[in-house]
Amino acid sequence: MEATGSQVWVRRRAVPPVVAARWALWTFVIVNVVTVELLFLDAGTGKNGVLTVAKFFGLHAAVLMLFQLLLVARLPWLDRRIGMDRLTVWHRWVGVTLVWTLLTHAVLVVLGYARLDDASMTKTFFALAGVPASLLGMGAAAIVVVTGAVSARYVRRRLRYETWHGLHLLLYVALGLAFVHQLQETTTFASSAAAKTYWWALWLFSFGALVTGRIILPVWRNAYHRFHVTAVVPESDDVVSVHVTGRHLDRLPARAGQFCVWRFPGHRHWWSANPFSLSAAPDGRTLRLTAKAVGSGSAGLRHIPIGSRAYVEGPYGAFTSLHRTRPGALLIAGGVGITPVRALLEEERAGDVVVLYRVRSEHDAVLADEVRSLVADRGGRLHLLTGRTGEGSRPFEPDSLRALVPDVAERDVYVCGPPAMTSAVLGTLRRLKVPRRQVHAERFGLA
């Protein structure tokens, strides 16, 4: 890193962190696809041409399933560089590809054996269902297809998160069935010593990453830090801040702009969790979240007893200063999206910072006094943008944004707010030709 004349620390790297992480993922994918295809060629053809093609799709379905595990493992190195939101989008698209790959594999298997036995596909399907290895594969494919169907945007919007999440957990059953299915298919798993070594290593690596990121690390951190609530502070009629402390918080790798997944026993069911941003820069002593009452989870936060235990997963997210490239910064927030922006502002030592805070009215400006104080201390500028978009207030149109921040293309731009606002701002930044490496936005969530 090097300091500019305004004392703002900006990272100078030959390769930006997000690019390095993407290269690592692409390298992982390419190496495994090439390896699978080499093993496929080495194993020779199947009993007929259709079954050979079916095996090709089956092998690639296995790689896709294991790549899915890596994308949702919440490994800190990947998450801090790419962000859970982007990894989740990739997970969704890989899932769509997986569904079609599995369906193609299944149909070709049935068609191949139907041709081999000169029988109808219906008769062949039921005959294969009587073979344990095939039945396991059918079960895995059925679970993946059903889960993919309920994850479609139209269906997903009509399901409660807990219902969708419960159905999604069936995918781990599918993975177990697929693993045993592949074990019993000796033409793929154990066609050679090299194939056996490769598949065992890939399965162990993928499951190991998932167990480490989703189970071992969160359990260890909660046992080590022993988080508990120290204060619950109403910020307004429908906004509350919860202060959490614990042991050795100076060793928790949390940064301003990140979020955690929070559970408060007694507040909701133990399986119910909410992602909330840190609304203050971590200081090694306390963590603070600030939430608006938009559902049963956030609405009940003001009733959490002081001293009660808190279970914290994370921190997660790439919405941090790790990705700074320019001395100047533009921080754009909408509504309660001010929370990670406020934390970033607190971390900013000094320098050229502009904050655009979009709300319907001044009454809705959460943490406004804190933001004003932090901006003033840093010699920055705060624009409180009030009004309703439908009533003619459009501060994020290209001309309006350029008028507010003429040098927007020379700054790092951080955007956090409602999806519609975030999309509008990102579209404007593209039209203003702000380089992509300078734009940082994160839409965090669990689904």
Side-chain angles (χ1 to χ4, degrees), residues 141 384 422:
L384 191 61
T422 300

Side-chain angles (χ1 to χ4, degrees), residues 339-353:
T339 54
V341 167
R342 184 252 181 242
L344 281 171
L345 186 61
E346 185 176 13
E347 185 182 71
E348 191 81 18
R349 293 183 180 89
D352 185 8
V353 59

Side-chain angles (χ1 to χ4, degrees), residues 32-34 36-37 40 53-66 98 101-102 199:
N32 281 283
V33 169
V34 170
V36 164
E37 292 181 358
F40 168 75
V53 178
K55 182 170 68 172
F56 176 86
F57 278 96
L59 291 172
H60 288 76
V63 172
L64 288 171
M65 292 181 79
L66 298 178
L98 173 62
T101 303
L102 277 176
W199 284 112

